[in-house]
Amino acid sequence: MAAPEAWRARSCWFCEVAAATTMEATSREAAPAKSSASGPSAPPALFELCGRAVSAHMGVLESGVWALPGPILQSILPLLNIYYLERIEETALKKGLSTQAIWRRLWDELMKTRPSSLESVTCWRAKFMEAFFSHVLRGTIDVSSDKRLCDQRFSPLLHSSRHVRQLTICNMLQGATELVAEPNRRVLETLASSLHTLKFRHLLFSDVAAQQSLRQLLHQLIHHGAVSQVSLYSWPVPESALFILILTMSAGFWQPGPGSLPCRLCGEASRGRAPSRDEGSLLLGSRRPRRDAAERCAAALMATRRKSEVKQMPRALPTSRVTRRSTQESLTIGGTDSKRELYPPATSYEASGTKQPSSAPTAASSSTSSKRAPASSVSQPKPLKRFKRATGKKGPRTRQGSGAESEDLYDFVFIVAGEKEDGEEMEIGEVACGALDGSDPSCLGLPALEASQRFRSISTLELFTVPLSTEAALTLCHLLSSWVSLESLTLSYNGLGSNIFRLLDSLRVLSGQAGCRLRALHLSDLFSPLPILELTRAIVRALPLLRVLSIRVDHPSQRDNPAVPENAGPPGHIIGDEEIPENCLEQLEMGFPRGAQPAPLLCSVLKASGSLQQLSLDSATFASPQDFGLVLQTLKEYNLSLKRLSFHDMNLADCQSEVLFLLKNLTLQEITFSFCRLFEKRPAQFLPEMVAAMKGNSTLKGLRLPGNRLGNAGLLALADVFSEDSSSSLCQLDISSNCIKPDGLLEFAKRLERWGRGAFGHLRLFQNWLDQDAVTAREAIRRLRATCHVVSDSWDSTQAFADYVSTM
């Protein structure tokens, strides 16, 4: 009897509390009704008035509301604001109540956007609170405009921050300054434990103050937080300083900016217990007493901007600061202007007091003092080369005073000191490649930052449509060569060009590091100096432990166009003619440019990938059907673990015998022929042969045939796969974009009913001609849904007139 008594007591409490405010609420509701010209409206129900009263006084009644019985609590939940609705979630679940419908309605009414059809929302509360946090941070939503969002007892940012798993920073780094402000310290602490993905979209040029705020934000979220993925999207003209800042912080390198307050979480570091030591050794993959070349190059990228002496010939002039802009304007390629030539900064042997060789040019003194060297005591060197940007031009940057300019952490200049033995000047790209190969990186002219701290780094880096200049590519390569915690790397349309060779060098160095975790690489670009198959061979040879490789090149390579480094071989040289060692690839996706591909090169990759489980070839063209057959024969002999095979946008009209070989000899679970013109030739002879091969295949579970002009006749022939004498276990069928009409679909449904195969899984019918007879199409789909799960759409078939003509 205790439970009913408690239930009755809580119900009485609810009525007593509500009665105290019912009269006032009723008067507020009745006042506008009396003055209304249209007459009095229906008064709200007493229970609703009680619920509103309780909701308005949740600050006092919250604990009592939590203890209400489920039926009463269920009626109160829609009346609560988002803060109390979020707080009561756990109690509601214990009482068997769900708030998902309420959060979905709040999303529709307040966010006014429809989630993507590809997105599966598992928790509307988390989705709403995450979007609400972003809108409040950017100032795109007014919390005072709706009583469900406004409550003086709660901070919108703090209350919603624990639900944020993904944060996007846009344009002028909006939100970064607000998050690192002292009033939002608890918000940032909460984000550090909840945030996993940090995205940057459409970034623009930023000032020094915004970059300083971003530096502190990244330090808190990555080095002391749980962020594991950083993604950059659509940055047509990247600002070098900002890009390098994001990269170096993501890789775990940290040095406080000028004038910044010390990080309180780094207090242990000053007492010799820095949390970054173990992670730093793991990041660098090094337990050696002295740092290797790759590590010193990465440390050099974090060096502060040094003051350099500018010695102009033929006379000595006062020292002036060398900035990126001034250097780009002053350094000449051919050395025709002697008044603008520069000397390189001090090299390592000068810093240690070692006598400088006579062949090397005299450099400026250390950063502690600037001394003017007499013109007579200096031999005139050749002018140094300054690398050019790969794409785009950067506009002038706004500086906030000379102090900010002199202390800017990342606005440094790559100046190469030294000359080749043959007297030619050395390019920075060649120095970088040499540094990655193990030579001394001090020739970059950058001081190694001994005091820089190293913390945890991210495991996933994605760069989408971010053009990489030479400077940015070198920075990325230096960091990659020791970034052992990186597990997944995506470089999509970055305009790498000849920098792809430096990337391959850095990945090769990374693969040799102890504890290297890189297992997924996604690479796509418009052009490549290497043919795609040679590039694939080079990647799998450099990263034998790679599990997932996705590579796409849209246009054919032009070997005579890019500047290929010396260690990559001359134009026309195939990198690595030797056999590829066995690798660990499980998933390989390749998107080919125009032109026939050499089948032996692809076969060499497949032969070395004995663990391959999924292969996807997009737009591949072979010189003859025999070459395609050679690829399939290789799959049969060397890739016994292959489960999924996909062909997209390939002309297989002349490869019908090879397709039959595939269906009969490969034990696959899923095959995709997408827009492959499969039934363009001899459909009357080929379809029965294909159906017979599928009826004898007991391992195939999924067949996808979108865009192959199957038509009604082809669909009815395909229905025989599900006949009684078939041993096929096919349970997923995709026949989208196949010129199928309603009458053919209805006959297909009747045949499935007649054979009584039962539910066989999923049937996809997108973009077929079902709108020509809506009644027949609905009847066909109704019958099919008794057999399988049907996914279709409403599509205007008049767009496919060309396909109709081709199948007449």
Side-chain angles (χ1 to χ4, degrees):
M1 297 295 294
E5 291 296 334
W7 191 95
R8 192 176 299 109
R10 292 298 178 186
S11 302
C12 294
W13 169 87
F14 171 73
C15 295
E16 291 174 1
V17 170
T21 56
T22 300
M23 187 66 68
E24 179 183 357
T26 305
S27 62
R28 289 198 303 268
E29 295 289 340
K34 293 180 180 179
S35 59
S36 175
S38 61
S41 60
L46 178 61
F47 192 90
E48 183 179 352
L49 285 175
C50 295
R52 292 181 183 179
V54 171
S55 176
H57 296 81
M58 281 292 291
V60 179
L61 307 176
E62 182 176 9
S63 59
V65 172
W66 287 15
L68 284 173
I72 297 179
L73 184 60
Q74 186 175 13
S75 301
I76 294 179
L77 290 179
L79 304 175
L80 300 178
N81 62 36
I82 62 172
Y83 307 103
Y84 287 111
L85 183 63
E86 193 273 339
R87 287 165 62 91
I88 208 172
E89 177 76 17
E90 183 177 352
T91 301
L93 291 177
K94 291 180 180 179
K95 296 179 182 293
L97 304 177
S98 174
T99 62
Q100 290 299 301
I102 302 175
W103 288 109
R104 174 62 192 267
R105 186 171 66 252
L106 287 172
W107 176 275
D108 294 337
E109 295 176 357
L110 298 175
M111 299 303 169
K112 299 178 181 179
T113 58
R114 179 177 297 178
S116 171
S117 59
L118 302 178
E119 180 183 6
S120 178
V121 181
T122 58
C123 181
W124 282 101
R125 176 185 61 144
K127 181 175 180 60
F128 178 90
M129 297 300 282
E130 184 177 66
F132 177 68
F133 178 91
S134 298
H135 282 296
V136 173
L137 183 63
R138 299 173 194 163
T140 55
I141 192 171
D142 183 12
V143 296
S144 62
S145 62
D146 195 298
K147 63 180 181 180
R148 293 171 293 182
L149 305 178
C150 182
D151 197 315
Q152 298 297 328
R153 289 161 291 190
F154 297 96
S155 166
L157 288 179
L158 180 61
H159 198 81
S160 57
S161 57
R162 72 186 187 94
H163 295 281
V164 180
R165 300 293 181 268
Q166 176 179 297
L167 179 63
T168 302
I169 297 178
C170 303
N171 301 334
M172 303 292 292
L173 305 180
Q174 289 95 332
T177 303
E178 289 78 2
L179 286 176
V180 298
E182 182 60 27
N184 290 325
R185 180 173 58 86
R186 291 182 57 193
V187 176
L188 189 56
E189 291 176 354
T190 306
L191 281 180
S193 60
S194 66
L195 193 65
H196 294 158
T197 302
L198 189 60
K199 295 185 177 182
F200 297 88
R201 288 185 181 273
H202 310 293
L203 293 183
L204 303 175
F205 295 114
S206 59
D207 55 19
V208 176
Q211 292 189 23
Q212 177 62 20
S213 299
L214 180 62
R215 181 184 291 110
Q216 298 178 18
L217 180 66
L218 294 178
H219 178 58
Q220 184 88 354
L221 297 180
I222 297 178
H223 301 166
H224 295 295
V227 171
S228 59
Q229 175 178 335
V230 170
S231 303
L232 283 81
Y233 296 85
S234 303
W235 198 358
V237 186
E239 184 179 5
S240 295
L242 181 57
F243 181 77
I244 293 175
L245 168 64
I246 296 174
L247 278 187
T248 50
M249 297 290 285
S250 300
F253 291 91
W254 160 251
Q255 186 183 38
S260 62
L261 297 176
C263 176
R264 60 183 185 83
L265 298 177
C266 297
E268 295 181 354
S270 61
R271 297 190 294 271
R273 296 193 301 111
S276 61
R277 297 301 181 186
D278 294 339
E279 176 66 25
S281 63
L282 179 61
L283 169 69
L284 298 171
S286 172
R287 297 185 182 274
R288 299 179 296 277
R290 66 185 299 271
R291 302 184 305 169
D292 61 5
E295 178 184 348
R296 282 179 287 171
C297 283
L301 293 172
M302 290 293 296
T304 57
R305 200 168 156 180
R306 302 174 61 187
K307 291 186 176 181
S308 304
E309 280 193 356
V310 182
K311 299 184 177 181
Q312 299 183 351
M313 300 300 292
R315 65 182 185 277
L317 295 179
T319 302
S320 62
R321 176 162 181 79
V322 181
T323 63
R324 181 187 291 110
R325 185 175 181 85
S326 63
T327 305
Q328 187 173 5
E329 295 173 351
S330 60
L331 290 181
T332 59
I333 299 299
T336 58
D337 190 353
S338 61
K339 294 183 179 181
R340 309 188 79 176
E341 294 174 359
L342 298 178
Y343 284 92
T347 51
S348 57
Y349 50 76
E350 291 176 313
S352 60
T354 307
K355 185 177 180 180
Q356 180 181 353
S358 58
S359 60
T362 304
S365 60
S366 63
S367 58
T368 57
S369 62
S370 298
K371 300 179 181 180
R372 185 184 308 172
S376 59
S377 62
V378 180
S379 60
Q380 181 177 355
K382 293 186 178 182
L384 297 175
K385 289 190 177 182
R386 174 72 162 92
F387 60 82
K388 298 181 179 180
R389 293 186 176 274
T391 56
K393 295 182 180 179
K394 193 184 77 167
R397 297 175 54 193
T398 303
R399 299 289 182 189
Q400 298 182 351
S402 59
E405 180 183 5
S406 62
E407 296 295 338
D408 187 358
L409 178 59
Y410 300 100
D411 190 13
F412 50 76
V413 179
F414 283 97
I415 299 180
V416 182
E419 301 178 6
K420 294 184 179 180
E421 293 181 359
D422 57 358
E424 296 180 359
E425 298 139 349
M426 183 175 292
E427 296 271 3
I428 185 169
E430 297 167 312
V431 176
C433 292
L436 290 175
D437 290 337
S439 60
D440 191 353
S442 61
C443 56
L444 290 176
L446 296 173
L449 191 60
E450 301 294 343
S452 63
Q453 302 180 39
R454 298 178 181 88
F455 294 83
R456 68 174 297 273
S457 57
I458 62 172
S459 59
T460 301
L461 177 65
E462 297 178 338
L463 305 179
F464 296 96
T465 322
V466 181
L468 298 181
S469 63
T470 303
E471 178 182 4
L474 286 174
T475 303
L476 177 63
C477 292
H478 287 322
L479 295 175
L480 284 178
S481 62
S482 58
W483 200 333
V484 296
S485 65
L486 192 64
E487 299 177 5
S488 177
L489 175 63
T490 299
L491 300 176
S492 179
Y493 296 97
N494 305 118
L496 285 173
S498 60
N499 289 320
I500 190 67
F501 298 105
R502 300 181 181 108
L503 177 65
L504 291 174
D505 285 341
S506 64
L507 293 178
R508 188 178 299 108
V509 174
L510 174 62
S511 179
Q513 297 279 2
C516 173
R517 303 178 189 174
L518 187 61
R519 296 296 180 267
L521 176 62
H522 304 268
L523 182 64
S524 57
D525 219 327
L526 290 174
F527 300 94
S528 171
L530 281 177
I532 183 172
L533 287 174
E534 296 182 13
L535 181 58
T536 303
R537 286 165 52 90
I539 291 176
V540 296
R541 196 164 40 244
L543 297 169
L545 298 180
L546 204 64
R547 301 292 178 86
V548 178
L549 174 59
S550 176
I551 182 169
R552 170 181 291 275
V553 178
D554 292 346
H555 299 283
S557 63
Q558 299 177 357
R559 289 181 174 274
D560 54 344
N561 185 26
V564 182
E566 291 180 359
N567 60 351
H573 172 67
I574 298 179
I575 292 185
D577 293 326
E578 68 277 5
E579 289 295 326
I580 304 176
E582 185 175 357
N583 57 69
C584 300
L585 270 185
E586 297 177 357
Q587 179 178 342
L588 177 61
E589 300 177 1
M590 303 182 67
F592 295 87
R594 301 184 309 273
Q597 303 298 324
L601 286 183
L602 177 58
C603 292
S604 66
V605 176
L606 298 177
K607 290 178 181 179
S609 307
S611 303
L612 196 64
Q613 299 180 14
Q614 181 173 340
L615 175 64
S616 176
L617 302 180
D618 188 350
S619 306
T621 304
F622 298 100
S624 64
Q626 289 73 22
D627 281 357
F628 181 59
L630 178 63
V631 173
L632 297 182
Q633 184 67 33
T634 303
L635 292 176
K636 175 188 175 183
E637 297 179 2
Y638 293 90
N639 304 104
L640 304 180
S641 302
L642 192 64
K643 296 183 172 112
R644 293 178 177 85
L645 182 60
S646 174
F647 301 106
H648 175 73
D649 195 17
M650 295 174 57
N651 185 4
L652 300 182
D654 296 322
C655 301
Q656 294 177 350
S657 59
E658 286 74 20
V659 171
L660 295 177
F661 172 84
L662 186 156
L663 293 173
K664 293 178 182 179
N665 294 278
L666 272 70
T667 56
L668 300 171
Q669 295 182 3
E670 181 179 306
I671 300 179
T672 299
F673 297 101
S674 176
F675 296 91
C676 290
R677 305 165 64 178
L678 202 58
F679 309 110
E680 184 175 291
K681 297 182 179 181
R682 301 188 315 111
Q685 294 80 17
F686 175 62
L687 269 170
E689 295 175 347
M690 179 178 175
V691 169
M694 292 179 59
K695 291 173 68 174
N697 191 327
S698 60
T699 62
L700 189 64
K701 300 183 182 300
L703 177 64
R704 305 181 186 276
L705 298 170
N708 283 282
R709 304 175 181 176
L710 190 63
N712 282 358
L715 178 62
L716 297 180
L718 201 61
D720 195 37
V721 175
F722 305 98
S723 61
E724 297 176 351
D725 60 342
S726 174
S727 59
S728 171
S729 57
L730 192 67
C731 58
Q732 293 185 1
L733 181 62
D734 186 352
I735 50 176
S736 303
S737 304
N738 269 293
C739 310
I740 296 173
K741 298 180 182 179
D743 55 342
L745 186 63
L746 180 60
E747 181 62 26
F748 177 76
K750 291 179 179 179
R751 293 192 182 187
L752 292 183
E753 289 178 347
R754 184 166 59 252
W755 287 319
R757 285 293 302 267
F760 71 86
H762 292 74
L763 178 65
R764 298 174 65 89
L765 296 169
F766 291 110
Q767 295 186 353
N768 279 297
W769 297 357
L770 304 183
D771 61 331
Q772 294 186 355
D773 188 348
V775 176
T776 304
R778 284 196 297 268
E779 175 64 16
I781 292 177
R782 185 189 66 80
R783 289 172 176 263
L784 286 171
R785 282 176 177 165
T787 306
C788 58
H789 176 68
V790 180
V791 182
S792 184
D793 61 349
S794 55
W795 183 64
D796 185 6
S797 61
T798 58
Q799 302 175 8
F801 180 74
D803 277 345
Y804 171 75
V805 172
S806 66
T807 57
M808 289 179 62

